[in-house]
Amino acid sequence: MATPRIGMMVRTFSSSAVRQEMVKPPIQIFGLEGRYATALFSGASKQKALDAVEKDLTSIQNQLKNDAKLIDYLINPSIQKTVKVAAIQAAAKQTNMSAPTANLLSLMAENNRLKNLNGTINAFKQIMAAVRGEVPCEITTAKPLDAATLKEIEGALKGFLKSNQKILLTTKSDPSIIGGLIVSIGDKYCDMSIASKVRKYSKIIAESA
């Protein structure tokens, strides 16, 4: 049932002159949330509202992080779908929300899929990052890196990118890896932590005993 309804969302987002053609994003994201995000991207592209939609979704995601009552309201199955849709439409008018964003929220409410809203927002952000040529990269180390070391690592990672791409870098600390680092860039993952090596050698010793 989800796929036909998402198709309906595409038609709702699109103008009658171009609704038959879907604007494909630069990356494909699978799953229900990926399909919602892809349909939203297509509709917003045709309405030249990508920036407005991204701004809307970032604001909504920030609200979700800081308002537990809002989350409870959105996912509460005892509240009728029509009530949620009406509330969304009223909020959209008050906040000057873009039409594609309002349509997305209304459709997800009708389909009882608002529990997937945060994942859909993240999927849309991935698409927009790809549009800008941004490749997400996360570096995990036991202790925070100093600026010089981080710059050196970032320079090495650029070798994995195409000429039109740039790194969207985030770092985090995890003492449990003991030392070394774990790098995730795009769809690539490399575990060079000491903890990983300890597990590897412990396994070898156990198998040879």
Side-chain angles (χ1 to χ4, degrees):
M1 292 296 292
T3 301
R5 287 179 177 269
I6 293 176
M8 180 176 66
M9 178 172 68
V10 176
R11 294 193 294 274
T12 301
F13 287 167
S14 306
S15 66
S16 58
V18 294
R19 66 175 51 170
Q20 297 302 324
E21 292 187 21
M22 188 168 183
V23 179
K24 294 184 179 180
I27 58 172
Q28 185 176 5
I29 301 178
F30 298 96
L32 176 69
E33 293 163 350
R35 293 198 297 272
Y36 271 114
T38 298
L40 176 59
F41 174 82
S42 178
S45 294
K46 293 174 184 179
Q47 294 189 27
K48 301 186 185 303
L50 285 173
D51 290 341
V53 169
E54 187 174 27
K55 183 178 179 180
D56 288 340
L57 295 183
T58 298
S59 177
I60 291 169
Q61 194 169 51
N62 288 335
Q63 291 180 53
L64 293 176
K65 290 179 181 178
N66 299 309
D67 193 341
K69 290 183 179 179
L70 175 60
I71 297 175
D72 290 339
Y73 177 82
L74 293 177
I75 66 175
N76 190 336
S78 66
I79 301 175
Q80 293 184 355
K81 294 184 287 186
T82 54
V83 173
K84 290 183 181 180
V85 171
I88 288 169
Q89 292 174 347
K93 290 181 180 179
Q94 292 177 357
T95 59
N96 294 319
M97 187 182 295
S98 66
T101 304
N103 289 339
L104 169 75
L105 297 179
S106 295
L107 186 73
M108 294 187 81
E110 290 174 1
N111 293 347
N112 284 322
R113 294 294 187 182
L114 286 172
K115 62 184 178 181
N116 300 100
L117 178 57
N118 192 61
T120 299
I121 293 174
N122 287 334
F124 186 82
K125 284 184 170 182
Q126 282 183 260
I127 291 174
M128 290 303 295
V131 168
R132 292 187 288 265
E134 298 171 348
V135 178
C137 175
E138 183 179 77
I139 299 175
T140 304
T141 53
K143 298 179 180 179
L145 295 171
D146 59 73
T149 303
L150 183 60
K151 185 176 181 180
E152 183 178 353
I153 293 174
E154 185 175 1
L157 291 173
K158 287 181 179 179
F160 290 95
L161 305 181
K162 297 178 181 178
S163 59
N164 62 334
Q165 293 179 325
K166 57 184 177 181
I167 290 178
L168 190 63
L169 185 64
T170 58
T171 61
K172 70 176 184 179
S173 300
D174 181 1
S176 69
I177 73 170
I178 305 174
L181 69 161
I182 299 173
V183 179
S184 173
I185 179 168
D187 58 356
K188 299 178 178 65
Y189 179 85
C190 183
D191 187 345
M192 298 176 286
S193 67
I194 291 178
S196 176
K197 293 179 180 179
V198 169
R199 288 193 297 270
K200 177 182 177 180
Y201 292 124
S202 296
K203 182 179 179 181
I204 293 173
I205 292 171
E207 290 177 347
S208 63

